């Protein structure tokens, strides 16, 4: 397991690291003495952030297996190791399920789900070789635990990430691997997630999803929006404790618990 009290000289890789939660996490990790690689699809933003916080920036499209493997190869070439991999890159737009096109599903799953899959395949060997143990962290969402109309595509992808990460954690434990795993499940965070279409590839442009600034809506105004720095702090404390889950909004627990209550009631309902 990664010892967060002894991180000087160790190497962390953060996807979606040019802004938001990824940037905030990278800054905190650098403050702990780690060498940090930030990966992002936005080249100019990546260069600015890398220069600002003192990270190494590598342009990466997490939806591409080849691109993520190239990232792993470059990290190995430059640093010879990776001790922490934070699979954080994600996209979100809004649409009713019935209005979503195949291109919408391919886009959101390509980044949110296959981005994690590619990270697992490319970086687990490096984490496994980490002296003292490595750590895999992944950004899911509170949306991976309850559904919200108009956010179906995002929610489905985050439910998938939850299942993927929980299964991986169980398999790593069963195999006796010295790799920890933490699933970050943020509630509302003030980031550019609501402007995700800016990075949507032209080949997947035909869709029904649209960007929405949820923070500016009437419903969004009722929520407690927190800054990325607070989320990054919660994540790092969870990693240090070896926690599987890291939640940011305890006040949203009733949403999750009500869904669980309905499932429990159905499980105990008569079947004849």
């Amino acid at each position: 397991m990664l010892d967060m009290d002894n991180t000087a000289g160790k190497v962390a890789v953060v996807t979606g690291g040019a802004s938001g939660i990824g940037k905030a996490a990278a800054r905190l990790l650098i403050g702990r003495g780690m060498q940090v690689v930030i990966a992002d699809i936005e080249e100019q933003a990546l260069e600015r952030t890398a220069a600002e916080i003192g990270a190494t920036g590598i342009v990466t499209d997490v939806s591409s297996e080849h691109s993520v493997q190239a990232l792993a190869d470059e990290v190995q070439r430059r640093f010879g190791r990776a001790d922490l991999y934070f699979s954080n890159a994600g996209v979100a737009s809004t649409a009713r399920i019935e209005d979503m096109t195949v291109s919408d599903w391919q886009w959101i799953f390509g980044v949110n789900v296959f981005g994690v899959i590619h990270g697992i395949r490319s970086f687990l060997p490096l984490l496994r070789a980490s002296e003292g143990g490595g750590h895999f962290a992944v950004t899911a969402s509170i949306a991976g635990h309850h559904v919200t109309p108009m956010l179906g595509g995002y929610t489905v992808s985050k439910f998938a990430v939850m299942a993927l990460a929980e299964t991986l954690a169980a398999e790593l434990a069963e195999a006796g691997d010295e790799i920890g795993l933490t699933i970050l499940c943020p509630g509302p965070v003030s980031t550019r997630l609501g402007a995700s279409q800016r990075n949507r590839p032209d080949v997947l442009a035909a869709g029904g999803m649209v960007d929405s600034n949820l923070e500016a809506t009437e419903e969004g105004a009722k929520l407690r929006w927190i800054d990325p720095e607070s989320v990054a702090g919660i994540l790092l404390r969870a990693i240090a404790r070896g926690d599987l889950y890291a939640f940011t909004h305890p006040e949203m627990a009733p949403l999750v618990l009500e869904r669980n209550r309905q499932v429990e009631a159905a499980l105990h309902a008569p079947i004849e």
Side-chain angles (χ1 to χ4, degrees), residues 184 226 229-239 241 246-248:
L184 177 63
I226 63 177
E229 290 72 22
S230 297
V231 179
I234 290 170
L235 172 63
L236 265 60
R237 288 190 291 274
I239 292 173
R241 292 191 299 263
F247 287 92
T248 64

Side-chain angles (χ1 to χ4, degrees), residues 10-270:
K10 293 189 175 179
V11 177
V13 180
V14 181
T15 69
S19 62
I21 296 171
K23 178 181 178 180
R27 192 193 299 273
L28 289 182
L29 292 168
I30 290 170
R32 287 175 173 262
M34 296 190 80
Q35 301 178 87
V36 177
V37 175
I38 54 173
D40 205 286
I41 199 171
E42 292 191 85
E43 185 171 4
Q44 292 185 345
L46 182 68
E47 291 175 352
R48 287 195 302 269
T49 296
E52 175 188 342
I53 68 176
T56 298
I58 299 177
V59 176
T60 307
D61 176 3
V62 298
S63 70
S64 163
E65 179 183 15
H66 173 77
S67 185
V68 177
Q69 185 58 54
L71 170 65
D73 292 343
E74 186 64 11
V75 169
Q76 175 67 33
R77 186 186 71 80
R78 293 195 192 188
F79 302 100
R81 63 190 295 163
D83 304 280
L84 170 63
Y85 183 78
F86 181 21
S87 182
N88 168 72
V91 294
S93 290
T94 60
R96 288 167 56 86
I97 290 288
E98 65 181 279
D99 295 330
M100 290 181 61
T101 65
V102 170
S103 292
D104 286 325
W105 288 109
Q106 290 173 331
W107 172 57
I108 204 161
F109 263 67
V111 178
N112 292 359
V113 181
F114 277 92
V116 180
I117 292 169
H118 296 152
I120 292 168
R121 289 177 53 81
S122 295
F123 277 90
L124 272 190
L126 291 176
L127 298 181
R128 193 169 279 121
S130 172
E131 182 179 352
H135 203 96
F136 191 97
V138 58
T139 299
S141 173
I142 192 70
H145 299 270
H146 80 98
V147 301
T148 301
M150 298 298 293
L151 280 173
Y154 180 73
T155 299
V156 171
S157 73
K158 292 304 183 178
F159 264 76
V161 169
M162 287 301 307
L164 176 62
E166 288 176 342
T167 304
L168 176 61
E171 291 175 349
L172 291 172
E174 186 179 69
D177 278 302
E178 292 186 347
I179 300 175
L181 192 146
T182 298
I183 309 169
L184 177 63
C185 302
V189 184
S190 296
T191 67
R192 297 186 68 195
L193 191 63
S196 294
Q197 296 278 340
R198 71 188 189 279
N199 291 323
R200 183 166 175 163
D202 292 340
V203 69
L204 297 177
M209 303 185 84
V210 297
D211 281 343
S212 177
N213 182 4
L214 299 178
E215 193 169 355
T217 66
E218 183 177 347
E219 288 300 313
K222 300 175 184 177
L223 302 174
R224 180 173 66 92
W225 293 80
I226 63 177
D227 57 77
E229 290 72 22
S230 297
V231 179
I234 290 170
L235 172 63
L236 265 60
R237 288 190 291 274
I239 292 173
R241 292 191 299 263
D243 293 346
L244 177 59
Y245 304 106
F247 287 92
T248 64
H249 286 68
E251 70 271 24
M252 300 185 78
L255 293 173
V256 179
L257 296 177
E258 173 57 23
R259 177 180 182 273
N260 292 345
R261 187 198 64 77
Q262 293 181 36
V263 172
E264 182 179 10
L267 283 168
H268 293 294

